[in-house]
Amino acid sequence: LRNTTNRTIDISYWTINASEDIYFGFPPETLIYPGQCFLAVDHLSDAYKTANFVLNSSNDYRYPRIGFRNANFYLELRDSKGNVMDKVGDGSIPFFGGISSSKVYSMERKANFGDGTKKENWYKCNSSKGGTYVSENHNEKTICTPGEPNSSE
């Protein structure tokens, strides 16, 4: 998540919903400061050095997981009152990213932050390796820039 405003955004109790029955929420006192990014991950594997929010820190299958599908991809960011604040995807396969030549690429939003359900507002991360938050032993195969400015279009 990226705060593009000049004010702090309190995302306490906000949720990211993948469907009516798949969602996760942010705990109290979760803030994103002006111009800052917020990285949420399923669990801390050896692929990432750190994150702002870890859903399943023990990586235990008995606990909630972030399991977004490569089919029917659609996410909603909802505030604490249930209002939809942003949307990503159109319910089909992700617009960009995924696995290519044994590397995993992220999908990045264009600088205009247009409608997240439209393909023309996204592109595949085109960095040559993973960013600062990606661990050294994964930065050749996990191509993303979480918590940093997006790669150039």
Side-chain angles (χ1 to χ4, degrees):
L1 303 174
R2 183 182 311 272
N3 180 353
T4 61
T5 72
N6 59 2
R7 63 180 177 79
T8 299
I9 298 176
D10 183 353
I11 62 168
S12 302
Y13 305 107
W14 286 32
T15 60
I16 293 181
N17 301 38
S19 71
E20 290 304 316
D21 62 343
I22 301 173
Y23 64 91
F24 67 92
F26 296 104
E29 300 181 28
T30 303
L31 306 173
I32 306 178
Y33 296 99
Q36 297 297 307
C37 295
F38 186 92
L39 176 61
V41 298
D42 178 63
H43 64 280
L44 280 179
S45 68
D46 60 343
Y48 296 99
K49 295 176 185 175
T50 188
N52 300 102
F53 177 77
V54 182
L55 177 65
N56 185 349
S57 59
S58 60
N59 196 20
D60 188 325
Y61 70 91
R62 297 173 294 175
Y63 295 102
R65 304 294 303 257
I66 301 171
F68 303 131
R69 297 181 180 96
N70 281 335
N72 306 322
F73 184 72
Y74 176 77
L75 305 175
E76 290 180 342
L77 176 64
R78 296 183 185 181
D79 69 12
S80 59
K81 295 179 182 173
N83 299 309
V84 176
M85 305 304 290
D86 199 7
K87 301 174 191 176
V88 175
D90 66 358
S92 62
I93 62 171
F95 302 130
F96 296 98
I99 299 172
S100 176
S101 302
S102 75
K103 294 182 180 186
V104 179
Y105 292 86
S106 69
M107 183 172 86
E108 296 181 338
R109 201 170 202 165
K110 291 185 177 180
N112 67 3
F113 291 101
D115 184 345
T117 65
K118 305 290 183 193
K119 183 176 181 175
E120 60 266 18
N121 293 315
W122 297 92
Y123 62 96
K124 180 176 119 178
C125 177
N126 62 15
S127 293
S128 59
K129 63 181 186 174
T132 305
Y133 282 93
V134 179
S135 65
E136 288 78 20
N137 59 337
H138 279 267
N139 69 9
E140 297 296 327
K141 57 186 170 187
T142 304
I143 312 302
C144 60
T145 56
E148 303 174 55
N150 286 349
S151 63
S152 60
E153 292 180 47

